[in-house]
Amino acid sequence: MKARENPFRVERVLTVRYRPPGWTFEQLMDRLERLNYRGAIVGAEGSGKTTLLEDLAPHLAKHKFHAKFLRLNEAHRTIDESFFESIGRSDVICFDGCEQLSDRAWRSFEKRTRHAAGLIVTTHSPGRLTTVVECSTNPALLREIIERLVGPDYSVDVESLFARHRGNIREALRELYDQV
Amino acid sequence: MSELKLQFESATHFGPGETLRGIASWKLNQPAAEIDLRLFWYTEGKGTQDVTIVHSTTLEHPQQTQSYPFQFELPPSPYSFSGKLISLIWAVELVVRPSKESTRQTFTMSPTAEEIELHTAMNK
């Protein structure tokens, strides 16, 4: 199958957005407001942290804030000076991958971004900011996402796929990409 | 919702260096600050997406209902191709600001005017 026809191609997977389990974005925004828009989205890899962080942008815009994204990963662990210089007072920094910073670098980052309107981070483990959402996955969620991508008739052992990737939905969908 | 349309004058298959002509037309629900018309290519597949804008034209304060003829000289490369892991796709896109409404029309560009299939090419 050609890559552009693969139902599990990245661009198509990215159209599946975060669905809050048992809470609403309005409730999350209320919680963030009480925390001066400083909080952490915590969860394992492939649990939807980045998707949720991205999906916060329009809700922040409704509150007259601008979501300013910063992404670090294992291949890119440094922050350019220009990032700090460009922070505005209506910016809520949406920092994906804050666990890439050492404790010392994190303290420095927090200090240098205090003039921003807020700081929301994603991280694998709690501790750096108050946890506002814990992202988690389960086989039912994986099944639901697969059905949204390929319909209900697609045959796959979701339980073992989920277990094989230890709940990492992104990696599970990558495996399915290779199978079609 | 606004109506946006992109129509190529001839086929949707082109060779490198050829001229792609078409008409962009729109009927907007509300006045726009500007409309961008872009020639670009992007990838789709298993990995991270690449996008490169080759030409871009901006129309400031467009009329709410308008037809706009356009033409782009296509570059020599990259060719449209598809393999199991990645596809490269050429397109023209119309984006309205600030509403961010958009429409896109894809086409293929290669010396044969057909998409190159990587597994076929490797077997030859």
Side-chain angles (χ1 to χ4, degrees), chain A residues 7-116:
Chain A
F8 297 102
R9 63 190 185 276
V10 170
E11 299 69 32
R12 195 142 185 275
V13 168
L14 288 177
T15 64
V16 179
R17 305 312 302 175
Y18 193 87
R19 272 215 245 169
W23 50 267
T24 65
F25 273 99
E26 288 71 28
Q27 287 169 331
L28 175 57
M29 290 304 294
D30 285 346
R31 176 126 202 252
L32 281 167
E33 189 177 356
R34 287 197 296 276
L35 293 166
N36 288 323
Y37 296 96
R38 298 175 72 79
I41 298 167
V42 180
E45 275 188 48
S47 62
K49 301 184 299 297
T50 303
T51 307
L52 172 55
L53 189 67
E54 289 171 353
D55 290 355
L56 272 178
H59 297 278
L60 289 167
K62 280 186 204 163
H63 289 243
K64 309 288 181 205
F65 294 121
H66 170 251
K68 186 176 181 64
F69 282 91
L70 172 65
R71 290 190 171 90
L72 295 188
N73 53 43
E74 285 181 5
H76 182 78
R77 290 181 158 176
T78 55
I79 303 168
D80 198 87
E81 274 302 307
S82 61
F83 174 82
F84 295 103
E85 290 159 10
S86 66
I87 297 169
R89 295 206 174 271
S90 64
D91 286 342
V92 172
I93 299 168
C94 295
F95 182 1
D96 189 21
C98 92
E99 70 279 337
Q100 299 298 332
L101 294 182
S102 65
D103 287 341
R104 189 176 167 188
W106 165 250
R107 283 193 296 274
S108 167
F109 178 85
E110 256 204 302
K111 200 173 169 185
R112 296 189 68 186
T113 57
R114 269 183 200 149
H115 61 291

